[in-house]
Amino acid sequence: MHIQIQKTELPKEKYTDESKLGFGSLFTDHMFIADYNEAQGWHDARIVPYQPFSIDPASPVLHYSLEVFEGLKAYRYENGEVGLFRPELNCARLNQSAERMCLPQIDEALQLAAIETLVDLERDWVPSSSGTSLYIRPAMIGDGSRLGINKAQRHIFFIICSPSGSFYPNGIKPVRIHIEDRYVRAVIGGTGNVKTGGNYAASLLAAMKAKEKGFDQVLWLDGRENRNIEEVGAMNVMFVLDGKLVTPSLDGSILGGITRRSVLELAQSLGYQTVERAIPVDELFSAYHSGKLTEAFGVGTAAVISPIGELEYKGESILLGSTIGPVAKVLYDTLTGIQTGRLPDPYGWTHVVPRV
Ligand code: PLP
Ligand code: COI
């Protein structure tokens, strides 16, 4: 599908200090949009100046959260080129999420072409200092003018880009995590394993309460028994337990993170033993007390690899130190080295954005 490009006549002023880039609050000059209805399919693919768009006040996205999204990053390589990391996995996951939410499929080749064309146009916005990147947010929403609970009549797929630094305000400093014992995020059969806005809306209250107590995020337990570790608000979680890299298995209620998958694959090829299984919260505490739990960290596109310094549950804490642990450090250096083109990529994960 041809992508029409309308360039802005009023380019924004670019950031001057990359060290001050936070996460997701600054946007580039342009955005991608395409429309869908059953009669026409996807049509009018276009890149336009970044701007608000109008939707009907009765739109199902506003009332019933008919929405899915993705998150990936473009990195500046030392040779000046710009690269994406396994973008085809984000395109595939968007369609898996869309299927669960009764939204239309969008050809993965079109998604990738839209990302490439937009990032190519915005390549001057991709920052270069360590820990920075251009965060890319594709999303699809259901639009229409009927309040009945039904599939949407129209859909909009759009992509916006945000030059970003660290997801957590304290950078790579270990985060403090509250293990939630009252609210739940997802249950098997629900939507926890897809990337849809409602999951995050439902998580907000617990996250706000945890923030009031000084925690950075919430670690969710399974929704049925409140017993097994699931994931953190915006990242999957991993532990070094008895020398092995252990992470909750994808049982249907947690997001199958692309960083999770990549870190597991990397760890295996670096010779670590990896285990995907249920991890009861009690086991974590007894492993901590017996010295078997040596590291905990979150993994995600926005969060990269974030060491966890404290895990608090019902007033008791696991304290894991104020610096990144040795396993997380090796994985962080290798993963970010590949993502930014500093290290060779034997896995074929990097995807240089073509210049048009
Ligand atoms: N879990 C949740 C709930 C997330 O929002 C994210 C972020 O995308 C992740 C895990 C990590 O997924 P990925 O590594 O694909 O970014
Ligand atoms: C990401 O890592 O891409 C995320 O989606 C995090 C976001 C929910 C803030």
Side-chain angles (χ1 to χ4, degrees), residues 23 69-72 93 135 137 167 195 200 233-234 300-303:
F23 176 78
F69 70 97
E70 271 303 323
L72 69 162
R93 191 172 63 184
Y135 184 79
R137 170 56 60 87
F167 183 60
K195 226 165 149 55
Y200 299 81
T301 298

Side-chain angles (χ1 to χ4, degrees), residues 69-72 85 89-90 93 135 137 167 185 192 194-196 199-200 203 217 220 230-237 253-262 298-304:
F69 70 97
E70 271 303 323
L72 69 162
F85 182 73
L89 297 183
N90 294 93
R93 191 172 63 184
Y135 184 79
R137 170 56 60 87
F167 183 60
R185 175 186 178 273
V194 300
K195 226 165 149 55
T196 183
N199 290 339
Y200 299 81
S203 304
Q217 273 201 4
W220 299 101
E230 296 243 301
E231 64 180 325
V232 180
M235 51 192 198
N236 295 111
V237 70
S253 58
I254 67 174
L255 190 73
I258 292 160
T259 320
R260 174 189 181 279
R261 173 172 163 178
S262 306
V299 300
T301 298
V304 195

Side-chain angles (χ1 to χ4, degrees), residues 45-216:
R46 59 206 185 271
I47 288 175
V48 293
Y50 187 99
Q51 60 190 282
F53 47 62
S54 64
I55 54 172
D56 195 297
S59 281
V61 62
L62 298 178
H63 300 270
Y64 311 122
S65 296
L66 268 195
E67 187 262 4
V68 294
F69 70 97
E70 271 303 323
L72 69 162
K73 285 175 170 173
Y75 305 88
R76 170 82 58 196
Y77 298 166
E78 268 168 15
N79 65 5
E81 292 302 316
V82 166
L84 304 166
F85 182 73
R86 312 186 84 176
E88 66 288 347
L89 297 183
N90 294 93
C91 300
R93 191 172 63 184
L94 186 89
N95 275 339
Q96 285 156 20
S97 301
E99 187 176 8
R100 177 66 180 82
M101 301 308 294
C102 296
L103 295 169
Q105 296 289 294
I106 174 159
D107 182 25
E108 289 165 30
L110 170 62
Q111 292 185 52
L112 191 54
I115 294 168
E116 284 181 344
T117 312
L118 182 61
V119 173
D120 180 35
L121 190 67
E122 306 290 52
R123 60 173 66 239
D124 290 349
W125 283 93
V126 183
S128 57
S129 33
S130 166
T132 65
S133 58
L134 184 72
Y135 184 79
I136 305 163
R137 170 56 60 87
M140 191 200 304
I141 59 173
D143 181 21
S145 48
R146 291 188 306 217
L147 280 181
I149 300 176
N150 215 321
K151 279 164 75 167
Q153 295 155 291
R154 301 186 290 276
H155 300 83
I156 304 171
F157 173 60
F158 61 97
I159 308 173
I160 53 177
C161 300
S162 174
S164 292
S166 180
F167 183 60
Y168 293 108
N170 290 334
I172 191 81
K173 199 167 156 269
V175 289
R176 294 185 66 209
I177 301 284
H178 164 67
I179 303 180
E180 182 57 44
D181 57 313
R182 178 172 169 210
Y183 300 104
V184 297
R185 175 186 178 273
V187 289
I188 294 173
T191 59
N193 59 348
V194 300
K195 226 165 149 55
T196 183
N199 290 339
Y200 299 81
S203 304
L204 197 55
L205 182 61
M208 290 297 124
K209 289 189 176 195
K211 266 199 184 125
E212 276 167 24
K213 294 187 185 145
F215 296 101
D216 296 288

Side-chain angles (χ1 to χ4, degrees), residues 295-315:
E295 288 182 50
F297 49 92
V299 300
T301 298
V304 195
I305 293 183
S306 289
I308 295 174
E310 177 178 356
L311 282 164
E312 179 271 337
Y313 179 60
K314 294 184 175 176

